[in-house]
Amino acid sequence: MSNPDVITLNVGGTKFTTFTSTLQRFPDSRLAHMLDGSDRDFRIVNSQFFVDRDGSLFSYILDYLRTSQLTLPSDFSEYERLQREAEFYQLHALAEQLGQGNIYQPRQEILEVRFLLQETHAFFRIFCSCSSTVEALADRIVMYVEQPIGGQGFSFPFSNQKPLAPVPLQRPSHHDLVFQCGTDFATGDQFGARYVSIKPDQRKLLNGTNVLGLLLDILLREGFSLVSTRAVSAEEKVECYTFQRKKRPEILTISEDYKQEKIVNVQVKPSKSTKKR
């Protein structure tokens, strides 16, 4: 038994099923007026509305109708074709935004790692022009400190491993974070050790050089390119590693009344290839 609230569209041979209310979300669009049968570009074939347009691009159009957000894969390049589809369906705000060529231009992201090694102790400071990248790294980097076992800080006689407790990273601003690892002999005979783990790697590393190697490897796998290395302070032996990558905005948010239009930059995984719906 058919449901009048649900409609099937055949767009260039690709079928989509949605609610009629979804198609009517933007009242001035051709999809909203399609249902009255007055538009000759939309024909009823086998109880389905058929339109001879690009089905793969219509999946983005339909997603926009459902959410008021246009989500594109990071390697998407057919902006002009998608703009033509938006113009055909008379989705004017979407077409106008897609016509602004600078919207989806990749933006240069700069990240800097500063590394200071003092005997058995290492200090790290990460700065990035994109605060969301720093937030993502702060969620992945965990610093642990050794805890004393038993009263007065004495360990059990047969235990060489002290329990570890996570401690927060330092966040001087939204664009940088600071952490450290290694052993610290500044407390006299007692010394504390700080370990660092960087997800998804499960190891808790004590040696600063090992932490640096893991961090640089992760950044390279995340799409960053190493552009320079230099010594910031010869006396303190501060090493500076500068990375860059091109970051593309992936979500375009357009309000339903067409008046408040803005770009929202988010860190998401590249979208999968278009699926039939």
Side-chain angles (χ1 to χ4, degrees):
M1 184 176 181
S2 62
N3 186 341
D5 294 330
V6 177
I7 189 171
T8 298
L9 293 86
N10 186 331
V11 183
T14 303
K15 296 180 181 180
F16 300 85
T17 301
T18 187
F19 290 111
T20 55
S21 59
T22 299
L23 300 178
Q24 295 171 332
R25 184 164 193 173
F26 297 93
D28 294 332
S29 70
R30 294 183 74 177
L31 290 166
H33 295 291
M34 172 191 73
L35 302 175
D36 60 19
S38 61
D39 194 327
R40 298 187 62 181
D41 283 327
F42 296 86
R43 304 178 184 180
I44 298 179
V45 179
N46 297 327
S47 301
Q48 301 172 359
F49 281 90
F50 176 82
V51 59
D52 192 15
R53 304 297 295 188
D54 190 299
S56 61
L57 293 178
F58 184 77
S59 64
Y60 301 119
I61 297 290
L62 183 58
D63 187 52
Y64 167 68
L65 294 176
R66 288 169 172 163
T67 65
S68 293
Q69 291 184 340
L70 180 65
T71 305
L72 300 172
S74 58
D75 58 351
F76 185 83
S77 60
E78 298 184 292
Y79 299 108
E80 292 184 2
R81 292 186 60 211
L82 185 57
Q83 181 188 6
R84 288 198 298 269
E85 295 302 300
E87 291 172 346
F88 172 81
Y89 295 111
Q90 295 181 359
L91 296 166
H92 302 297
L94 177 59
E96 181 181 351
Q97 289 289 340
L98 288 170
Q100 299 178 16
N102 62 336
I103 285 180
Y104 287 100
Q105 291 298 319
R107 301 177 183 179
Q108 197 82 319
E109 183 178 4
I110 304 298
L111 184 144
E112 182 180 272
V113 177
R114 294 198 175 192
F115 173 67
L116 169 62
L117 182 62
Q118 294 181 336
E119 296 182 353
T120 59
H121 211 83
F123 299 85
F124 295 82
R125 185 171 192 140
I126 300 176
F127 170 84
C128 187
S129 59
C130 180
S131 60
S132 61
T133 298
V134 176
E135 292 292 341
L137 286 172
D139 289 338
R140 296 174 61 177
I141 298 174
V142 183
M143 186 168 59
Y144 299 89
V145 63
E146 283 186 343
Q147 298 294 297
I149 301 177
Q152 305 299 322
F154 294 107
S155 302
F156 292 117
F158 301 105
S159 174
N160 294 321
Q161 180 64 48
K162 296 180 180 179
L164 302 178
V167 293
L169 308 179
Q170 297 180 41
R171 297 296 308 276
S173 75
H174 293 296
H175 289 273
D176 56 352
L177 63 89
V178 177
F179 59 96
Q180 55 187 291
C181 66
T183 54
D184 186 2
F185 293 93
T187 56
D189 294 335
Q190 299 291 329
F191 70 90
R194 293 177 183 266
Y195 296 78
V196 168
S197 177
I198 308 178
K199 302 173 185 177
D201 194 287
Q202 298 297 317
R203 293 173 296 169
K204 297 178 177 64
L205 302 176
L206 180 68
N207 183 279
T209 303
N210 292 340
V211 173
L212 177 65
L214 176 60
L215 176 61
L216 300 187
D217 182 64
I218 288 176
L219 292 174
L220 292 173
R221 286 191 277 114
E222 293 289 333
F224 282 97
S225 299
L226 180 63
V227 294
S228 70
T229 59
R230 69 184 191 277
V232 178
S233 171
E235 295 180 357
E236 295 184 352
K237 298 181 180 179
V238 178
E239 301 174 8
C240 180
Y241 301 82
T242 303
F243 294 81
Q244 69 179 20
R245 72 175 174 183
K246 292 182 177 181
K247 184 179 181 182
R248 187 189 300 275
E250 296 188 1
I251 293 185
L252 171 64
T253 303
I254 302 177
S255 64
E256 295 184 28
D257 59 6
Y258 305 165
K259 294 181 180 179
Q260 295 179 348
E261 300 175 351
K262 60 182 179 178
I263 296 298
V264 179
N265 296 324
V266 294
Q267 276 202 317
V268 295
K269 296 180 180 179
S271 303
K272 296 181 180 178
S273 57
T274 304
K275 297 181 180 179
K276 294 183 179 181
R277 307 187 181 189

